[in-house]
Amino acid sequence: MDPSVPALYPALTAVAANAVAGLRAQVGAEVDDPRLTELVEELTAGSERFRRLWARHDVTVRAGGGLRVFRHPRVGELELRYEKFTISGTNQSLVVYHAEPGGPSARSLARLARSAAGDGSG
């Protein structure tokens, strides 16, 4: 629902569809969970895109990893590989993003890190 999000994802349509289908997969049989109901009501009221995607009932179980492209406002396009790990005994997962070592995205992330550290060279 954040109006700045479309600028961050060049492939927003696919990212949004995957996120909603992934949410349905995470929910599983717990569709009556009050926290989920509240979240879905909030997103449905605030986002036409979410409303359409949720109504499709797509379910996507994602394991492993892939490539995601982000558009960062300070350093531009970042191509980051990711790995998704299921946390045993929970319905949570850990997603780790990383850039190709020595590549343009790695250099951009290094500039961001220097900038965040305050050395002024970012």
Side-chain angles (χ1 to χ4, degrees):
M1 293 189 318
D2 184 332
S4 68
V5 168
L8 301 176
Y9 294 97
L12 180 61
T13 301
V15 169
N18 286 334
V20 174
L23 176 60
R24 277 205 179 273
Q26 288 282 8
V27 168
E30 299 187 32
V31 292
D32 294 329
D33 181 297
R35 294 177 302 160
L36 173 67
T37 301
E38 182 180 335
L39 175 64
V40 169
E41 287 173 358
E42 178 183 349
L43 293 171
T44 299
S47 169
E48 173 62 30
R49 182 189 314 265
F50 179 84
R51 187 172 31 256
R52 281 191 328 269
L53 291 169
W54 189 254
R56 287 178 14 184
H57 296 274
D58 294 346
V59 176
T60 303
V61 178
R62 298 247 180 235
L67 178 69
R68 178 75 38 93
V69 178
F70 299 93
R71 191 176 302 123
H72 191 279
R74 292 190 53 208
V75 295
E77 189 169 284
L78 294 168
E79 288 188 1
L80 302 177
R81 297 218 167 271
Y82 67 92
E83 302 297 328
K84 185 174 183 180
F85 304 95
T86 301
I87 299 174
S88 181
T90 74
N91 63 353
Q92 298 180 356
S93 20
L94 171 68
V95 181
V96 178
Y97 287 91
H98 55 94
E100 189 68 36
S105 293
R107 290 189 295 275
S108 293
L109 288 175
R111 283 197 313 275
L112 283 173
R114 286 191 304 270
S115 176
D119 77 0
S121 65

